[in-house]
Amino acid sequence: MATPSRLFLDTNVYIIGAQDTHSPEAEILRWAGWGESEPAPVEVVASPELFDQIARVARRLRHKDWSGELIGRIWRYLRVHVVVLDPVELARLEASSRIPREDASIYLTAHAGQTDCFVSSNHELVRALLTTVGDFECLTPEQFVTKYLR
């Protein structure tokens, strides 16, 4: 089975992967090029909204310098495909009940970036996406590692 060429990694994948080097999230980041001299052939989809979430969570868990370090490592080590979200489409999605409101920008980033696979430790979000959208494959980090990296 061919690995996805365009991947969306949710905020929790970056945070957990950076904190726990033995986690499935860290394994995915290393596979994508995190800490390597050459980025992997996979692109990771991102948006300003995703970077904002990463920065907020990292600041809350540690401090603002760590949030900047994480975002810097994403730009340095990964092949990033950035999308800009349409505010009208985002507002429409937030108003609907298809996706939990707090996850609308995350879903829209993956959708607009034409991702092949969405990876998140948020089991409820993965379950919601599996039942409401069919745009891309949705997996937890453990499922992704088992399916594509082992």
Side-chain angles (χ1 to χ4, degrees):
M1 179 171 308
T3 55
S5 61
R6 190 170 283 176
L7 189 63
F8 178 84
L9 302 175
D10 199 359
T11 302
N12 50 57
V13 175
Y14 293 105
I15 299 293
I16 294 168
Q19 287 186 310
D20 181 359
T21 59
H22 301 293
S23 65
E25 291 86 350
E27 190 172 345
I28 293 167
L29 289 175
R30 281 190 301 274
W31 170 78
W34 188 269
E36 303 297 322
S37 58
E38 294 288 322
V42 67
E43 286 183 315
V44 293
V45 175
S47 66
E49 290 81 2
L50 176 66
F51 288 125
D52 286 348
Q53 273 196 17
I54 293 168
R56 272 195 321 274
V57 173
R59 272 193 306 269
R60 222 180 17 234
L61 290 176
R62 290 199 185 169
H63 46 75
K64 67 178 178 149
D65 291 340
W66 191 58
S67 75
E69 179 185 320
L70 282 180
I71 292 170
R73 291 181 79 185
I74 292 168
W75 283 111
R76 179 176 180 185
Y77 293 119
L78 305 179
R79 289 181 54 218
V80 181
H81 176 83
V82 177
V83 297
V84 176
L85 303 184
D86 176 349
V88 173
E89 191 174 354
L90 179 57
R92 191 176 311 128
L93 185 61
E94 286 175 337
S96 79
S97 60
R98 281 182 55 198
I99 306 294
R101 184 173 177 18
E102 66 273 10
D103 296 317
S105 65
I106 295 303
Y107 163 74
L108 199 53
T109 297
H111 175 75
Q114 299 177 335
T115 188
D116 299 321
C117 186
F118 181 101
V119 181
S120 178
S121 297
N122 181 340
H123 295 272
E124 288 178 28
L125 176 58
V126 169
R127 211 172 10 261
L129 291 176
L130 284 171
T131 59
T132 60
V133 300
D135 302 4
F136 38 74
E137 183 176 31
C138 300
L139 301 171
T140 65
E142 296 83 3
Q143 291 169 329
F144 184 88
V145 167
T146 298
K147 185 171 183 176
Y148 292 114
L149 305 184
R150 298 234 165 104

